[in-house]
């Protein structure tokens, strides 16, 4: 089929799968006290459209001349370029001319990560008192402004504070700036008012498209960075609100919580082990699972980002108005893990899907990579079989036309694939940390090759399943569910391995790590 014809087909198919009633994202933070492996997790879904192509790229260190400026061509926001811009990765829109970069998630060479953003809006009174600034800082700029300029998460927070004081904000946003030592949760409320909080290790958070931060202690400079007049400004302009006898930032500055936001807070907190009523008058941003033994794994967070409220009365099949965390509108989804054993320059481990994670696969890459697989860099706004985004998005589109017949075994295959990658990760981490101690440049070359090997293998699997699923749909015989030819049961895998007297199938991560160890 010609590419133009295929593109038209997918435009129609994705219109059918784009049923979510609102454009929105959902963020998650899991402190190290609550993770299975002691890592800290920061995660988010980018839920803008089922037809929104993304790239994954690395920006090299760059030298700028005095007077050169970063410019947002859509709004006119400008900011001086540094004399040396640090290397960093990002996941920008393919069509950056449409509305800017939207780098979304990335690491720089000093191990700092920016995850931006979960969009939110202040209430009418707050906006009237401190309007958004048309050419102020906005989501589309954050990754590309912050990461080239800072060496720690706290430096990133201070930079944001400086920019907001000088330039203002063009919109409300919730985002994180993190490194292995600190995770900062930031809410930008109005044109010049914001609050940032250093998240402790003993809490968990799930946050949709609304402000949720409660009390802000302006006298605690260790844990808070905020507008000095945040509280007094709310009092002076008639929108100050308290909860349990204390100033509450979200109640004061935020719009009332919508049904779609309530849906996701309720679902996310319950999914991660904290029972909360759907009709709760106020949701705490930070919570802890009800059972102290309920530790959260990276796979749990993957499943949270796929969660469509299965097993509850609030599923899209039962109520089309329900906004679930897992949605067909995800352009990409990601999870960052920071681990104690990682050197700061390694950053963390990024797990990312292209397209809706429900029928795509989370693939790992370290924060120190210096390049990405070629398919991640293909600039294809419309369907293109060479693009990583379109490989996974096209497979998901077919799978989601009928989750039971088309999608169940695609999802099962990717789940098994992820399980193997996760199982390999401890050994891979040890190898990478050892290489970092010996030579950081060689370690970066190794992690780059490893990430590209895994990505290329997964994309070859996606291509095969897409081709087979397209054939299954074309035949029109739906008596049996689609089963990819590469899917085998654990029993069959064991039997095959025994018969061949060779180990069962390994992932590319395991193979590459073994080769490196041999060298």
């Amino acid at each position: 089929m010609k590419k133009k014809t295929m593109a038209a087909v997918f435009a129609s198919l994705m219109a059918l799968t784009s049923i979510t009633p609102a454009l929105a994202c959902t963020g998650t933070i899991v402190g190290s006290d609550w993770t299975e492996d002691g890592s800290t997790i920061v995660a988010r879904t980018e839920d803008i459209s089922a037809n929104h192509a993304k790239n994954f790229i690395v920006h090299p260190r760059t030298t700028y001349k005095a007077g050169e400026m970063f410019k947002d061509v859509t709004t006119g926001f400008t900011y001086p370029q540094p004399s040396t811009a640090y290397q960093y990765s990002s996941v920008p829109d393919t069509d950056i001319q449409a509305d800017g970069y939207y780098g979304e998630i990335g690491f720089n060479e000093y191990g700092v990560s920016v995850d931006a953003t979960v969009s939110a809006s202040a209430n009418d009174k707050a906006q009237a008192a401190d309007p958004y600034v048309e050419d102020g800082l906005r989501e589309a700029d954050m990754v590309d402004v912050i990461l080239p300029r800072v060496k720690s998460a706290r430096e990133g927070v201070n930079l944001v504070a400086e920019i907001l004081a000088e330039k203002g904000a063009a919109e409300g946003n919730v985002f994180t700036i993190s490194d292995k030592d600190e995770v900062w949760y930031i809410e930008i409320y109005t044109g010049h008012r914001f609050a940032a909080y250093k998240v402790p290790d003993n809490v968990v958070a799930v946050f949709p498209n609304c402000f949720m931060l409660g009390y802000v202690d302006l006298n605690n400079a260790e844990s808070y960075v905020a507008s000095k007049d945040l509280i007094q400004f709310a009092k002076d302009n008639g929108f100050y609100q308290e909860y349990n006898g204390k100033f509450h930032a979200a109640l004061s500055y935020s719009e009332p919580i919508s049904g779609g936001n309530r849906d996701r807070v309720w679902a996310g907190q319950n999914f991660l082990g904290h029972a909360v009523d759907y009709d709760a008058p106020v949701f705490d941003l930070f919570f802890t699972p009800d059972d102290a033994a309920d530790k959260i794994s990276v796979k749990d967070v993957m499943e949270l980002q796929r969660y469509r409220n299965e097993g509850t009365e609030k599923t899209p099949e039962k109520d089309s108005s329900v906004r679930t965390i897992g949605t067909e509108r995800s352009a990409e989804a990601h999870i960052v893990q920071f681990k104690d054993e990682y050197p700061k320059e390694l950053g963390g481990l990024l797990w990312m899907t292209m397209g809706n994670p429900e029928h795509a696969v989370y693939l790992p890459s370290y924060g120190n990579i210096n390049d990405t697989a070629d398919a991640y860099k293909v600039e294809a706004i419309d369907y293109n079989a060479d693009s990583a985004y379109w490989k996974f998005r096209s497979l998901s589109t077919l799978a989601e036309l009928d989750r039971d017949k088309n999608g169940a075994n695609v999802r099962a295959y990717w789940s098994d694939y992820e399980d193997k990658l996760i199982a390999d990760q401890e050994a891979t981490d040890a190898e990478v940390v050892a290489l970092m101690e010996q030579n950081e440049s060689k370690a970066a070359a190794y992690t780059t090759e490893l990430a590209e090997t895994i990505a290329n293998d997964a994309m070859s699997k996606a291509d095969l399943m897409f081709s087979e699923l397209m054939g299954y749909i074309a035949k029109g015989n739906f008596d049996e569910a689609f089963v990819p030819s590469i899917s085998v049961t654990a029993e069959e895998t064991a039997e095959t391995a025994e018969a061949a007297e060779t180990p069962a199938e390994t992932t590319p991560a395991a193979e590459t790590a073994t080769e490196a160890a041999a060298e």
Side-chain angles (χ1 to χ4, degrees):
M1 185 180 292
K2 293 181 179 179
K3 287 189 177 181
K4 289 185 178 180
T5 305
M6 184 67 83
V9 170
F10 277 106
S12 300
L13 290 175
M14 283 184 287
L16 294 174
T17 60
S18 300
I19 60 175
T20 305
L23 305 183
C25 305
T26 306
T28 304
I29 300 171
V30 185
S32 58
D33 290 354
W34 286 103
T35 58
E36 276 190 354
D37 60 1
S39 65
T40 297
I41 291 176
V42 179
R44 185 171 60 87
T45 62
E46 183 189 357
D47 305 337
I48 184 168
S49 171
N51 184 11
H52 194 89
K54 303 291 294 187
N55 293 116
F56 178 28
I57 58 177
V58 175
H59 308 260
R61 253 191 178 232
T62 304
T63 300
Y64 290 100
K65 297 177 181 178
E68 289 192 85
M69 306 289 282
F70 170 90
K71 184 173 183 179
D72 183 324
V73 296
T74 301
T75 66
F77 168 83
T78 59
Y79 200 72
Q81 294 285 20
S83 57
T84 299
Y86 308 139
Q87 177 177 296
Y88 70 101
S89 58
S90 70
V91 185
D93 287 2
T94 298
D95 188 8
I96 61 173
Q97 298 303 317
D99 190 29
Y101 292 102
Y102 289 91
E104 300 300 318
I105 181 68
F107 281 96
N108 73 11
E109 62 184 270
Y110 290 100
V112 181
S113 176
V114 172
D115 193 354
T117 73
V118 176
S119 303
S121 292
N123 59 52
D124 290 343
K125 286 185 177 181
Q127 286 195 47
D130 183 20
Y132 295 122
V133 180
E134 185 175 346
D135 60 350
L137 181 69
R138 65 183 184 124
E139 173 183 353
D141 309 325
M142 288 183 180
V143 167
D144 297 275
V145 168
I146 299 169
L147 285 182
R149 293 167 171 80
V150 302
K151 294 183 178 181
S152 71
R154 189 175 288 262
E155 276 190 26
V157 174
N158 291 336
L159 175 61
V160 170
E162 292 171 8
I163 293 172
L164 294 180
E166 178 186 351
K167 298 281 190 176
E171 58 197 10
N173 273 306
V174 181
F175 62 108
T176 61
I177 306 178
S178 313
D179 58 29
K180 70 169 294 183
D181 298 319
E182 298 181 342
V183 174
W184 285 86
Y185 170 91
I186 306 156
E187 294 185 342
I188 297 177
Y189 302 115
T190 57
H192 301 87
R193 268 77 194 179
F194 80 100
Y197 176 61
K198 187 175 72 171
V199 181
D201 295 334
N202 62 350
V203 297
V204 180
V206 176
F207 42 101
N209 295 91
C210 60
F211 302 120
M212 293 186 66
L213 188 62
Y215 179 63
V216 176
D217 186 351
L218 296 178
N219 296 315
N220 182 354
E222 173 61 27
S223 296
Y224 293 90
V225 176
S227 303
K228 293 180 180 179
D229 66 345
L230 185 73
I231 298 174
Q232 190 60 47
F233 188 78
K235 288 180 178 179
D236 292 345
N237 289 280
F239 55 88
Y240 174 88
Q241 295 288 328
E242 291 186 351
Y243 184 68
N244 290 335
K246 289 184 176 182
F247 167 74
H248 195 284
L251 290 179
S252 298
Y253 280 87
S254 187
E255 295 177 323
I257 189 167
S258 68
N261 289 330
R262 183 177 293 275
D263 289 343
R264 285 177 284 156
V265 177
W266 166 81
Q269 292 200 11
N270 280 280
F271 184 92
L272 294 179
H274 176 59
V276 62
D277 291 336
Y278 181 84
D279 296 317
V282 176
F283 290 103
D284 292 329
L285 169 59
F286 299 110
F287 63 92
T288 57
D290 299 335
D291 186 340
D294 260 351
K295 300 296 186 177
I296 297 167
S297 68
V298 69
K299 187 59 178 278
D300 290 332
V301 179
M302 292 174 181
E303 294 306 313
L304 172 66
Q305 294 189 323
R306 297 176 168 121
Y307 186 46
R308 300 178 72 253
N309 300 355
E310 292 90 346
T312 76
E313 291 301 311
K314 294 184 180 297
T315 66
E317 289 77 15
K318 295 175 181 177
D319 182 353
S320 61
S321 70
V322 169
R323 169 59 161 101
T324 57
I325 294 172
T327 172
E328 298 89 342
R329 297 194 76 103
S330 289
E332 54 87 19
H334 52 263
I335 301 164
V336 170
Q337 283 186 287
F338 293 95
K339 301 184 182 183
D340 286 343
E341 63 266 31
Y342 288 177
K344 185 174 180 180
E345 292 75 15
L346 180 61
L349 187 66
L350 172 66
W351 298 89
M352 185 174 64
T353 72
M354 286 288 181
N356 179 8
E358 184 182 357
H359 295 101
V361 60
Y362 284 89
L363 302 176
S365 60
Y366 289 95
N368 69 334
I369 59 171
N370 51 40
D371 201 358
T372 60
D374 290 343
Y376 281 126
K377 295 177 284 190
V378 174
E379 296 182 359
I381 298 169
D382 296 319
Y383 174 79
N384 183 321
D386 295 329
S387 156
Y389 171 85
W390 287 111
K391 288 175 186 292
F392 293 112
R393 178 66 262 177
S394 59
L395 177 60
S396 295
T397 298
L398 297 185
E400 286 149 23
L401 293 176
D402 187 327
R403 285 180 163 82
D404 292 331
K405 294 293 187 181
N406 298 4
N409 287 313
V410 172
R411 180 167 178 174
Y413 179 80
W414 285 138
S415 182
D416 289 344
Y417 194 97
E418 288 167 350
D419 289 345
K420 292 175 182 177
L421 289 172
I422 293 168
D424 288 343
Q425 196 58 48
E426 183 177 354
T428 305
D429 284 346
E431 183 71 24
V432 170
V433 169
L435 287 171
M436 286 288 290
E437 292 174 354
Q438 296 169 15
N439 187 303
E440 290 185 9
S441 295
K442 289 183 178 179
Y446 168 66
T447 58
T448 300
E449 180 184 0
L450 177 64
E452 291 182 10
T453 299
I454 293 171
N456 288 330
D457 180 76
M459 285 186 274
S460 71
K461 303 294 197 302
D463 287 343
L464 177 61
M465 285 192 282
F466 169 73
S467 176
E468 293 178 348
L469 182 52
M470 183 66 85
Y472 167 85
I473 294 171
K475 289 177 182 176
N477 181 5
F478 305 121
D479 293 337
E480 300 291 337
F482 168 70
V483 179
S485 64
I486 48 179
S487 291
V488 291
T489 66
E491 181 180 356
E492 289 170 332
T493 302
E495 290 174 354
T496 301
E498 184 178 356
E501 294 185 352
T502 59
E505 179 184 359
T506 58
T507 63
E511 293 170 354
T512 306
T514 300
E515 291 170 1
E519 293 175 0

